[in-house]
Amino acid sequence: MAGNTFGKIFQLTTFGESHGSAIGGVLDGCPAGLKLDLNFIQSELDRRKPGQSTITSQRKESDAFEILSGVYEGITLGTPIAFLFRNEDDKPSDYENLKDVYRPSHADYVYDAKYGIRDYRGGGRSSARETGARVFAGAIAKQLLGTEKISIRAYVSQVGKIKLEKEYTELNLDKSETNMVRCPDETVAGKMIQQIEEAKKGGDTVGGVITCVIQNVPVGLGEPVFDKLHADLAKAVMSINAAHGFEYGSGFEGAAMKGSEHNDIMLAREGKNKLVTKTNHSGGILGGISNGMDICFRVAFKPVSTLMMNQQTIDSSGNAVGLKGKGRHDPCVVPRAVPIVEAMAALVLADHFFRNINSKLKT
Amino acid sequence: MAGNTFGKIFQLTTFGESHGSAIGGVLDGCPAGLKLDLNFIQSELDRRKPGQSTITSQRKESDAFEILSGVYEGITLGTPIAFLFRNEDDKPSDYENLKDVYRPSHADYVYDAKYGIRDYRGGGRSSARETGARVFAGAIAKQLLGTEKISIRAYVSQVGKIKLEKEYTELNLDKSETNMVRCPDETVAGKMIQQIEEAKKGGDTVGGVITCVIQNVPVGLGEPVFDKLHADLAKAVMSINAAHGFEYGSGFEGAAMKGSEHNDIMLAREGKNKLVTKTNHSGGILGGISNGMDICFRVAFKPVSTLMMNQQTIDSSGNAVGLKGKGRHDPCVVPRAVPIVEAMAALVLADHFFRNINSKLKT
Amino acid sequence: MAGNTFGKIFQLTTFGESHGSAIGGVLDGCPAGLKLDLNFIQSELDRRKPGQSTITSQRKESDAFEILSGVYEGITLGTPIAFLFRNEDDKPSDYENLKDVYRPSHADYVYDAKYGIRDYRGGGRSSARETGARVFAGAIAKQLLGTEKISIRAYVSQVGKIKLEKEYTELNLDKSETNMVRCPDETVAGKMIQQIEEAKKGGDTVGGVITCVIQNVPVGLGEPVFDKLHADLAKAVMSINAAHGFEYGSGFEGAAMKGSEHNDIMLAREGKNKLVTKTNHSGGILGGISNGMDICFRVAFKPVSTLMMNQQTIDSSGNAVGLKGKGRHDPCVVPRAVPIVEAMAALVLADHFFRNINSKLKT
Amino acid sequence: MAGNTFGKIFQLTTFGESHGSAIGGVLDGCPAGLKLDLNFIQSELDRRKPGQSTITSQRKESDAFEILSGVYEGITLGTPIAFLFRNEDDKPSDYENLKDVYRPSHADYVYDAKYGIRDYRGGGRSSARETGARVFAGAIAKQLLGTEKISIRAYVSQVGKIKLEKEYTELNLDKSETNMVRCPDETVAGKMIQQIEEAKKGGDTVGGVITCVIQNVPVGLGEPVFDKLHADLAKAVMSINAAHGFEYGSGFEGAAMKGSEHNDIMLAREGKNKLVTKTNHSGGILGGISNGMDICFRVAFKPVSTLMMNQQTIDSSGNAVGLKGKGRHDPCVVPRAVPIVEAMAALVLADHFFRNINSKLKT
């Protein structure tokens, strides 16, 4: 049973291999009557696309999307929104050396074992190119959430050993987009960029962490007991290529705390039942349900697996061989993963927004 | 749209409030012909139940399950397996002081806001008692997985500030059950127990971390692109009460590594296509699909919110009030959460085992 | 992948074999705040239960339901509503002769072939007793729909060769419950009863047809393109034991008509966009979406398979043997199937009511 | 919650409005390793396309499909198979007169009411053009089923008042494709064609019935209790435009029969547990599960609503107006619906084939 569909009411299905004719998706469950800002969609895609700066892959991907259905004169029809991106810049020659070899820590091997067939021309379905479809759909989700004033902003908070020590509350998140690593603190951003450039120079790569902040969330999003809001956020971002860890609120640090330190003292109730607490170790979510405080989570990404240096691996006969990466790959995935994290968060929030609508009888 | 169902083919739905007449579940999609070991189910439930040691809640819960359907003469029929636990030891008087007050960092407030109705007698649906149904179903999943020799073992690797620094490969995991905190290293276990007892003495609580190891997993489990094996594991364990973080393989530490350190050198292919790698930073999963190496993940739990000390909070009119916990609560959740983590992992593995069956045409 | 769950948002899962300890279900997705009329639920169950008249099975079934969760002080909590009926009057001795024999036109054979295991004590999961869970959930759905003034009424319109020739518009549907065959025309009801009694006397059984009328349906229920309202109604009622046919509006007769006869001339728009047409060959549904006119459909039921006479069949070794029914069976299924048809229709309507809520943006 | 997805394991999502840029679909859950016969897919599409004969719509539709993903060198990859058909021959001018008018017995009105937005250029999502995507996916399902020797053949058994009185067992089903109305009896076919031509001449349309026969079905397909094989077939074909009735086996006639006439005497067990019965009133399905006998069902279609004559209707202000159809429409839908019925049946069978695989433990 395939896993290419995400969401229950606001539902995205993606398709496409990196070197097939197109990648794309079908977004179903978007209500009729939403006026789409196509420029905004494009600007979100531009934040994800390779070649945007000197610290990302220099690969060129077509960033021209085509909407096939579900939109008429710029307004959603309530029917499935299908869209695609043509694959243009494929250089299968970059991959010919991979025909019979598996790349270390790549998905080549397991795809071959699982499906018994291998399209060696690039990552196929495991390629990060698939995330373009997520960003497209996420841009629509953001516009929907925007009608409710919900905002979602992510930024890079760690690259390799360089960590941004400040909390998001001490930062101006609007500054994230002013530098190519997407870190809202300029000084730290400079160090991060240097770290990436050094890795790149050595043919190496480096991991990182993205922090995401969701603000103005209404109380009540998230469903007991399995579809807790943070559980669905965890799944959403862990499904992004290279993600290795997720934490929200106090996260792993919370494990070392005492209850008397960790509990968020309730101060007041505001507006539409939003809670105000002194601290926010709960990360805006109690028992899996949003409480109105900011939602804050972090995602860890491993370093990119394709290296421009020699590595030992095996071929399809199981024999040991050496392999050196070719092509144009990212030395660090996190700058381009920022809009993907935001997109996945937006898909979760939009889905839960609609799921919550029938929680109680209207009176 | 409610969230009480988990899994796609091997599917659990749970029901029940902590102070209603029963909690239970329906496990659908279990094949016919599995001979159930009911004693094993009971032993798994015993690992979760309160009152099992001096460092857990002294609350008594009925641990007697009743199977209502789906099993005939000890063999599964292929039909839904419904089961329940009666609620017996409810002392609503423990909760009377909560009628108009919200407990800090508890789900009371958001349930009330979401549903517009409040059963103040305990946690209702957010109560950890619901996890009994998960352990029951997980025990059946484990028996199914056992027919494929897949094993799942979790243990406590951190309590408050006490961390078990050894990797699982340096430990004898069979020792986890020899002490009441479920840590396989006796010396560290002793310190953990002390940490919990100190917290308890002060009316306080403490968080912790559980590590889970899954061995002998066949290659190919996990579905591109959203239902990656680790994404579904993340969701599964993040849906357990108090979970605040998830990481697998290298996890958050991987973010600080270089690709040349992180990549797992492929050494060989063994048996049914299992991969052998030098290191296992990938945590047994590549591109969301199991590669045959051990799967290892960690879950962070915040400290329990109910404290036996005074805390500031608000009442249902939004006014500030003081509150002190009553009743019998856990000073630390992790010892009893070990079987719950295992159960959720077993549900994910069993579901993905069946989902993978049709990945390629039989020839 | 099992099929014990019905509905997408308002969702029922049933469980239980006829001779296990209980049958029941979990109804998930019912909003919080619905005040339940438990007497109404009981009265619906009484309409389905055996032994209610001389023309139904004389088997006694416990009609006492127990609600396990989801309801507090008579109000729904928004959490799963679990319920059960204990099995009490099982006489396995009635079934001993079936241990190695398959009943003609029964599900015994295919269950055995599918699951490789057989609980010969009655129909197991294929027993009509399972429909009690549907009627229970349907009674809650009816109460939900009642808050929107939607009414659902079914009646018997054919028993064997006796047909009620009048349209529902010529009948007083409130009279259906005044006789034991549930036909609103007393004269025809008398003939139907006679037909059933004759069949019963001869150890035989007879089929029939149920007509169902749904009134005051809001415009807009039903989802393009697969989940058309009539497609979901068809599936719902065809899943009832012994159902062999479904038609709505003009049905099979419509196939013989010309477009100029069949088209429903539009006359006006009323109230909340309800359509008024001269005729109603469309059966209240256009393109799969309700138009506000009455929905009318019919379901054909085959005669009950268990006969009190000798029949030829095969045993589990494939040899020809004779078999005569034992026990207490219905000579005609339709009088008791009336509330089941209504219940399934109510589940479909309630589900589509919630599914439609997000069809367009609120402005 | 949208309804554009069909199937649980072998799952089709369709998209596209009749006058948008393309219609198409995503078929997910097809195992890897199936060698596709693209010519067969095209030949199935040709059976559905308009303009194929003098008794169908003369509209020209592009019948050129493009596969976007999921297939490499003609072999399925196990990943989603996305495909599309470009819309080319749209003549919006044909529809300009509809801008403010609703067509009688069409979906215009309800779409407008449901979504609050109207693309008056043709049927939008309710257009029969969407069924092209079903036929495409059905052609792949047929190839999968072909590897199991399962065959699905439908034919026209009624046009208006002309009925084919013979049972399928008395006919040579291979002859259905030898005439343009798709009736395997040449004499009756001639009368049917005449009936359609007469209707066409008068600007009128006529309904009809399609019979579908599925042979060599393995025992065990179909899931208790809601997803009975015939219930899923009913939903599948009732979701085709203009379908108004469904019956299988004895169908509505069975309602008039006695149990002693209706029961199918079991004669033997053959091959892989296939049942052999004297009669087949059960239509190859017992208790919702295939028994190995032929599955036979019938679908009634109403006459096409668009007439080339004046009809009374209302405009968007609710005022009475006259309307006469323009454009190129079918005088009778059933000849072109034959491959659509087969496609939907193939989707159901393929899905249930995979769903049944885990019904019992492999030993």
Side-chain angles (χ1 to χ4, degrees):
Chain A
M1 192 184 185
N4 300 289
T5 298
F6 188 81
K8 302 233 169 161
I9 290 185
F10 189 80
Q11 190 171 63
L12 173 66
T13 299
T14 71
F15 61 81
E17 289 76 45
S18 56
H19 291 74
S21 57
I23 68 124
V26 180
L27 178 63
D28 208 358
C30 183
L34 179 69
K35 193 167 168 35
L36 291 184
D37 179 343
L38 300 184
N39 291 330
F40 174 70
I41 296 176
Q42 189 60 64
S43 69
E44 290 291 278
L45 291 166
D46 290 346
R47 293 171 71 208
R48 192 209 70 92
K49 80 171 172 187
Q52 64 183 267
S53 78
T54 56
I55 58 168
T56 66
S57 162
Q58 295 308 301
R59 197 169 53 254
K60 279 174 197 159
E61 288 180 6
S62 164
D63 59 345
F65 61 84
E66 183 189 3
I67 294 180
L68 300 168
S69 67
V71 181
Y72 179 54
E73 297 180 345
I75 314 276
T76 59
L77 287 168
T79 57
I81 301 170
F83 57 93
L84 59 77
F85 308 83
R86 292 282 169 186
N87 290 326
E88 287 168 0
D89 187 42
D90 46 334
K91 291 196 183 170
S93 59
D94 280 359
Y95 295 95
E96 247 162 45
N97 62 330
L98 295 175
K99 199 166 177 177
D100 297 311
V101 179
Y102 302 115
R103 291 171 291 175
S105 289
H106 260 278
D108 305 345
Y109 179 85
V110 289
Y111 267 72
D112 202 358
K114 184 181 181 77
Y115 295 111
I117 186 171
R118 188 175 169 206
D119 174 359
Y120 61 86
R121 306 163 309 164
R125 194 74 184 126
S126 74
S127 162
R129 185 146 166 69
E130 181 267 345
T131 56
R134 303 180 183 210
V135 171
F136 180 97
I140 295 180
K142 279 186 172 181
Q143 292 182 56
L144 259 177
L145 296 170
T147 67
E148 301 284 328
K149 315 284 183 213
I150 302 168
S151 82
I152 299 177
R153 285 179 295 175
Y155 60 91
V156 172
S157 52
Q158 183 179 337
V159 166
K161 297 192 190 311
I162 310 299
K163 293 186 190 183
L164 173 59
E165 302 288 354
K166 292 177 189 159
E167 291 297 308
Y168 79 90
T169 46
E170 308 166 66
L171 297 163
N172 178 353
L173 299 191
D174 293 334
K175 284 200 171 169
S176 308
E177 296 296 316
T178 60
N179 57 67
M180 63 187 176
V181 79
R182 296 204 162 84
C183 171
D185 181 303
E186 276 175 54
T187 317
V188 179
K191 290 181 195 166
M192 286 173 169
I193 291 167
Q194 199 182 336
Q195 179 102 345
I196 294 172
E197 283 169 344
E198 273 168 28
K200 186 182 171 188
K201 215 171 293 170
D204 212 337
T205 62
V206 69
V209 174
I210 288 173
T211 298
C212 184
V213 181
I214 313 176
Q215 292 177 305
N216 208 25
V217 181
V219 178
L221 306 196
E223 297 298 322
V225 293
F226 295 110
D227 298 352
K228 292 185 163 89
L229 189 56
H230 58 265
D232 277 356
L233 285 168
K235 167 161 177 165
V237 296
M238 291 303 288
S239 78
I240 301 173
N241 301 29
H244 264 240
F246 169 89
E247 59 181 8
Y248 80 103
S250 61
F252 276 87
E253 284 188 13
M257 292 167 78
K258 290 193 170 169
S260 52
E261 299 167 90
H262 193 277
N263 275 3
D264 297 319
I265 298 307
M266 293 187 182
L267 298 177
R269 190 161 56 186
E270 274 184 0
K272 288 187 180 169
N273 280 329
K274 290 199 172 198
L275 192 62
V276 183
T277 58
K278 210 178 204 166
T279 50
N280 187 14
H281 295 119
S282 302
I285 301 172
L286 289 171
I289 300 170
S290 62
N291 64 10
M293 295 285 290
D294 293 351
I295 293 175
C296 181
F297 66 83
R298 289 162 27 95
V299 197
F301 291 88
K302 70 165 188 177
V304 170
S305 305
T306 301
L307 311 181
M308 298 299 122
M309 57 172 73
N310 250 313
Q311 293 182 90
Q312 187 190 330
T313 188
I314 59 172
D315 64 17
S316 55
S317 310
N319 300 320
V321 289
L323 179 73
K324 183 173 173 177
K326 278 192 187 177
R328 298 144 297 171
H329 296 275
D330 286 282
C332 180
V333 81
V334 289
R336 289 177 53 210
V338 165
I340 307 172
V341 167
E342 290 176 5
M344 291 309 298
L347 291 176
V348 170
L349 269 282
D351 193 36
H352 275 284
F353 182 82
F354 293 121
R355 291 179 69 176
N356 183 47
I357 281 179
N358 300 314
S359 59
K360 56 189 162 198
L361 272 192
K362 303 297 165 285
T363 47
Chain B
M1 192 184 185
N4 300 288
T5 297
F6 187 82
K8 301 233 168 159
I9 290 185
F10 189 81
Q11 190 171 62
L12 173 67
T13 300
T14 71
F15 61 80
E17 289 76 46
S18 57
H19 292 72
S21 58
I23 68 123
V26 180
L27 178 63
D28 208 357
C30 184
L34 180 68
K35 190 166 172 39
L36 291 184
D37 179 344
L38 301 183
N39 291 329
F40 174 71
I41 297 175
Q42 189 59 63
S43 68
E44 289 291 278
L45 292 165
D46 290 347
R47 294 170 70 206
R48 192 209 70 92
K49 79 172 172 188
Q52 64 182 266
S53 77
T54 56
I55 58 170
T56 66
S57 162
Q58 296 307 302
R59 196 168 55 253
K60 279 176 197 159
E61 287 181 7
S62 164
D63 58 346
F65 62 84
E66 182 188 5
I67 294 180
L68 298 168
S69 65
V71 181
Y72 179 53
E73 297 181 343
I75 315 274
T76 59
L77 286 167
T79 57
I81 301 170
F83 56 93
L84 59 75
F85 307 82
R86 293 283 169 187
N87 291 326
E88 286 169 1
D89 187 42
D90 48 333
K91 293 197 182 171
S93 59
D94 280 358
Y95 295 95
E96 246 163 45
N97 63 330
L98 296 176
K99 199 166 178 176
D100 297 311
V101 179
Y102 302 114
R103 292 170 291 176
S105 290
H106 260 278
D108 304 346
Y109 179 85
V110 288
Y111 267 72
D112 202 358
K114 183 180 182 77
Y115 295 111
I117 185 170
R118 187 173 171 207
D119 174 0
Y120 61 87
R121 306 162 309 163
R125 193 76 183 124
S126 74
S127 162
R129 184 147 167 68
E130 181 267 345
T131 56
R134 302 179 182 211
V135 172
F136 180 96
I140 295 180
K142 278 186 173 182
Q143 292 183 55
L144 258 178
L145 296 170
T147 66
E148 302 283 328
K149 315 286 183 212
I150 302 168
S151 82
I152 300 176
R153 286 178 295 175
Y155 60 91
V156 171
S157 52
Q158 183 179 335
V159 166
K161 297 193 192 310
I162 309 298
K163 292 188 191 181
L164 172 59
E165 301 288 353
K166 291 178 191 158
E167 292 298 309
Y168 79 90
T169 46
E170 308 166 66
L171 298 163
N172 178 354
L173 300 191
D174 293 333
K175 284 199 171 168
S176 308
E177 296 296 315
T178 60
N179 58 67
M180 64 188 176
V181 79
R182 295 202 164 86
C183 172
D185 181 304
E186 276 176 52
T187 318
V188 180
K191 291 180 194 166
M192 288 173 168
I193 291 167
Q194 200 183 337
Q195 179 101 345
I196 295 171
E197 281 169 346
E198 273 168 29
K200 187 182 172 187
K201 215 172 293 171
D204 212 337
T205 60
V206 68
V209 174
I210 289 174
T211 298
C212 184
V213 181
I214 314 177
Q215 292 177 305
N216 207 26
V217 180
V219 178
L221 306 197
E223 298 298 322
V225 294
F226 294 110
D227 298 352
K228 292 185 164 90
L229 189 56
H230 58 265
D232 277 355
L233 285 168
K235 167 161 177 165
V237 297
M238 291 303 290
S239 78
I240 301 172
N241 302 29
H244 264 239
F246 170 88
E247 59 181 7
Y248 80 103
S250 61
F252 276 87
E253 284 189 12
M257 291 167 79
K258 290 194 169 168
S260 52
E261 299 168 89
H262 193 278
N263 274 5
D264 298 318
I265 297 306
M266 292 187 182
L267 297 178
R269 189 160 59 185
E270 273 183 1
K272 288 186 179 170
N273 282 328
K274 290 201 172 195
L275 192 62
V276 182
T277 58
K278 209 176 202 168
T279 49
N280 187 14
H281 294 118
S282 301
I285 301 172
L286 289 172
I289 300 171
S290 61
N291 65 11
M293 294 286 290
D294 293 351
I295 293 175
C296 181
F297 67 82
R298 290 163 24 97
V299 198
F301 290 88
K302 71 165 187 176
V304 170
S305 305
T306 301
L307 312 180
M308 297 300 123
M309 57 173 73
N310 250 314
Q311 293 182 92
Q312 186 190 330
T313 188
I314 60 173
D315 65 16
S316 56
S317 309
N319 301 320
V321 290
L323 178 73
K324 184 174 171 177
K326 277 192 187 178
R328 299 145 296 171
H329 296 275
D330 288 281
C332 180
V333 82
V334 288
R336 287 178 54 211
V338 165
I340 307 172
V341 167
E342 289 176 4
M344 292 310 296
L347 291 175
V348 170
L349 269 281
D351 194 34
H352 275 284
F353 182 82
F354 293 121
R355 292 178 69 177
N356 183 48
I357 280 179
N358 301 313
S359 58
K360 54 189 163 199
L361 272 193
K362 301 298 166 282
T363 47
Chain C
M1 192 185 187
N4 300 290
T5 298
F6 188 82
K8 302 232 168 162
I9 290 185
F10 189 80
Q11 190 171 63
L12 173 65
T13 299
T14 71
F15 61 80
E17 289 76 46
S18 56
H19 291 73
S21 57
I23 67 124
V26 180
L27 179 63
D28 207 358
C30 183
L34 179 69
K35 192 167 168 36
L36 291 185
D37 179 344
L38 301 184
N39 291 330
F40 174 70
I41 296 176
Q42 188 61 63
S43 68
E44 290 290 278
L45 291 165
D46 290 347
R47 293 171 71 207
R48 192 209 70 93
K49 80 171 172 188
Q52 64 182 266
S53 78
T54 56
I55 58 168
T56 66
S57 162
Q58 295 308 302
R59 196 169 55 252
K60 279 175 198 159
E61 288 180 7
S62 164
D63 60 344
F65 62 84
E66 182 188 4
I67 293 180
L68 300 168
S69 67
V71 181
Y72 179 54
E73 297 180 344
I75 315 276
T76 58
L77 286 168
T79 58
I81 301 170
F83 57 93
L84 59 77
F85 308 82
R86 292 282 170 187
N87 290 326
E88 286 170 359
D89 187 41
D90 48 334
K91 292 197 182 170
S93 60
D94 281 358
Y95 294 96
E96 247 163 45
N97 62 330
L98 296 176
K99 199 166 177 176
D100 297 311
V101 179
Y102 301 115
R103 291 172 291 176
S105 289
H106 260 277
D108 305 345
Y109 179 85
V110 289
Y111 268 71
D112 202 357
K114 184 181 182 77
Y115 295 112
I117 186 171
R118 189 174 169 206
D119 174 359
Y120 61 86
R121 306 163 308 164
R125 194 74 183 124
S126 73
S127 162
R129 185 147 167 68
E130 181 266 345
T131 56
R134 303 180 183 210
V135 172
F136 180 97
I140 295 179
K142 278 186 173 182
Q143 291 183 55
L144 258 177
L145 296 170
T147 66
E148 302 284 329
K149 314 284 183 213
I150 301 168
S151 81
I152 299 177
R153 285 178 295 175
Y155 60 92
V156 172
S157 52
Q158 183 180 336
V159 166
K161 297 193 191 310
I162 309 298
K163 293 186 190 182
L164 173 59
E165 301 288 353
K166 291 178 190 160
E167 291 298 308
Y168 80 89
T169 47
E170 307 166 68
L171 297 162
N172 179 353
L173 299 191
D174 293 333
K175 284 201 170 166
S176 308
E177 296 295 316
T178 60
N179 57 67
M180 63 188 176
V181 79
R182 295 202 163 86
C183 172
D185 181 303
E186 275 175 54
T187 317
V188 179
K191 290 180 195 167
M192 287 173 168
I193 291 167
Q194 200 182 337
Q195 179 102 345
I196 295 171
E197 283 169 344
E198 273 168 28
K200 188 182 171 186
K201 216 172 292 170
D204 212 337
T205 61
V206 68
V209 174
I210 289 174
T211 298
C212 184
V213 181
I214 313 176
Q215 292 177 306
N216 207 25
V217 181
V219 179
L221 306 197
E223 297 298 322
V225 292
F226 295 110
D227 298 352
K228 293 186 162 86
L229 189 57
H230 57 265
D232 277 357
L233 285 168
K235 169 164 176 164
V237 296
M238 290 303 289
S239 78
I240 301 172
N241 302 27
H244 264 239
F246 170 88
E247 59 181 6
Y248 80 103
S250 61
F252 276 88
E253 283 187 14
M257 292 168 78
K258 290 194 170 167
S260 53
E261 300 167 271
H262 193 277
N263 275 4
D264 298 318
I265 298 307
M266 293 187 181
L267 298 178
R269 191 161 57 187
E270 273 184 2
K272 288 186 181 169
N273 281 329
K274 290 201 172 195
L275 191 63
V276 182
T277 58
K278 210 177 203 167
T279 50
N280 187 15
H281 295 118
S282 302
I285 301 172
L286 290 171
I289 300 170
S290 61
N291 65 11
M293 295 285 289
D294 293 351
I295 293 175
C296 181
F297 67 82
R298 290 162 25 95
V299 198
F301 291 89
K302 69 165 189 177
V304 170
S305 305
T306 301
L307 311 181
M308 298 299 122
M309 58 172 73
N310 250 313
Q311 293 182 91
Q312 188 191 329
T313 188
I314 58 172
D315 64 17
S316 55
S317 310
N319 301 319
V321 291
L323 178 74
K324 184 174 172 177
K326 278 192 187 178
R328 298 144 297 171
H329 297 275
D330 286 282
C332 181
V333 81
V334 289
R336 290 177 54 209
V338 165
I340 307 171
V341 167
E342 290 176 5
M344 291 310 297
L347 291 175
V348 170
L349 269 283
D351 193 35
H352 275 283
F353 182 82
F354 293 122
R355 291 178 70 177
N356 183 48
I357 280 179
N358 300 314
S359 58
K360 56 189 163 199
L361 273 192
K362 302 297 164 286
T363 48
Chain D
M1 191 185 187
N4 300 288
T5 298
F6 187 82
K8 302 234 167 158
I9 290 185
F10 189 81
Q11 190 171 61
L12 173 67
T13 300
T14 71
F15 61 80
E17 289 77 45
S18 57
H19 292 72
S21 56
I23 67 124
V26 180
L27 178 62
D28 208 358
C30 183
L34 179 69
K35 190 165 171 38
L36 291 185
D37 179 344
L38 301 184
N39 291 329
F40 174 71
I41 296 176
Q42 189 60 63
S43 68
E44 289 291 277
L45 292 165
D46 290 347
R47 294 171 69 206
R48 191 209 70 92
K49 80 172 172 187
Q52 64 183 264
S53 77
T54 56
I55 57 170
T56 66
S57 162
Q58 295 307 302
R59 196 167 56 253
K60 279 175 198 158
E61 286 180 9
S62 165
D63 58 345
F65 61 84
E66 183 188 5
I67 294 180
L68 300 167
S69 66
V71 181
Y72 179 53
E73 298 181 342
I75 315 275
T76 58
L77 287 167
T79 57
I81 301 170
F83 56 93
L84 59 75
F85 307 83
R86 292 283 168 185
N87 291 326
E88 286 169 1
D89 187 43
D90 48 333
K91 292 198 183 171
S93 60
D94 281 357
Y95 295 95
E96 246 162 46
N97 62 330
L98 296 175
K99 199 166 178 176
D100 297 311
V101 180
Y102 301 115
R103 291 171 291 176
S105 289
H106 260 278
D108 305 345
Y109 179 86
V110 288
Y111 267 72
D112 202 358
K114 183 180 182 78
Y115 296 111
I117 185 170
R118 187 175 170 206
D119 174 0
Y120 61 87
R121 306 163 309 164
R125 194 74 183 125
S126 74
S127 162
R129 184 146 167 68
E130 181 266 345
T131 56
R134 303 179 182 210
V135 172
F136 180 96
I140 295 180
K142 278 186 173 182
Q143 292 183 54
L144 258 177
L145 297 170
T147 67
E148 302 285 328
K149 315 284 183 213
I150 302 169
S151 82
I152 299 177
R153 286 178 295 175
Y155 60 91
V156 172
S157 52
Q158 184 179 336
V159 166
K161 296 192 193 311
I162 311 297
K163 292 187 191 181
L164 172 59
E165 301 289 353
K166 292 178 190 159
E167 291 297 309
Y168 79 90
T169 46
E170 308 166 65
L171 297 164
N172 178 353
L173 300 191
D174 292 334
K175 284 199 171 169
S176 308
E177 295 296 316
T178 61
N179 58 67
M180 64 189 177
V181 79
R182 295 203 164 84
C183 172
D185 180 304
E186 275 175 52
T187 317
V188 179
K191 291 180 194 165
M192 288 172 167
I193 292 167
Q194 201 183 338
Q195 179 101 345
I196 295 172
E197 282 169 345
E198 272 169 29
K200 188 182 170 186
K201 215 172 295 172
D204 212 337
T205 61
V206 68
V209 173
I210 289 174
T211 299
C212 184
V213 181
I214 313 176
Q215 292 177 305
N216 207 26
V217 182
V219 179
L221 305 197
E223 298 297 322
V225 293
F226 294 111
D227 298 351
K228 292 185 163 90
L229 189 57
H230 58 264
D232 277 356
L233 285 167
K235 168 161 176 167
V237 296
M238 291 304 289
S239 78
I240 300 172
N241 302 29
H244 264 240
F246 169 89
E247 59 182 6
Y248 80 103
S250 61
F252 276 87
E253 284 187 14
M257 292 167 79
K258 290 194 169 169
S260 51
E261 299 168 89
H262 194 277
N263 275 4
D264 298 318
I265 297 307
M266 292 187 183
L267 298 179
R269 189 161 57 185
E270 274 182 2
K272 288 186 180 171
N273 281 329
K274 291 202 171 194
L275 191 62
V276 183
T277 58
K278 209 177 202 168
T279 49
N280 187 14
H281 295 119
S282 302
I285 301 172
L286 290 172
I289 300 171
S290 61
N291 64 11
M293 294 286 290
D294 293 351
I295 293 175
C296 181
F297 66 82
R298 290 163 24 97
V299 198
F301 291 88
K302 70 164 187 176
V304 170
S305 304
T306 301
L307 311 181
M308 298 299 122
M309 57 172 74
N310 250 313
Q311 294 181 90
Q312 188 190 330
T313 188
I314 59 173
D315 64 16
S316 56
S317 309
N319 301 319
V321 291
L323 179 73
K324 184 174 171 177
K326 278 191 188 177
R328 299 146 295 170
H329 296 275
D330 287 282
C332 181
V333 82
V334 288
R336 288 178 53 210
V338 165
I340 308 171
V341 166
E342 290 176 3
M344 292 309 297
L347 291 175
V348 171
L349 269 281
D351 193 35
H352 274 284
F353 182 82
F354 293 121
R355 293 178 69 177
N356 183 47
I357 280 179
N358 300 313
S359 58
K360 56 188 163 199
L361 272 193
K362 301 299 166 283
T363 47

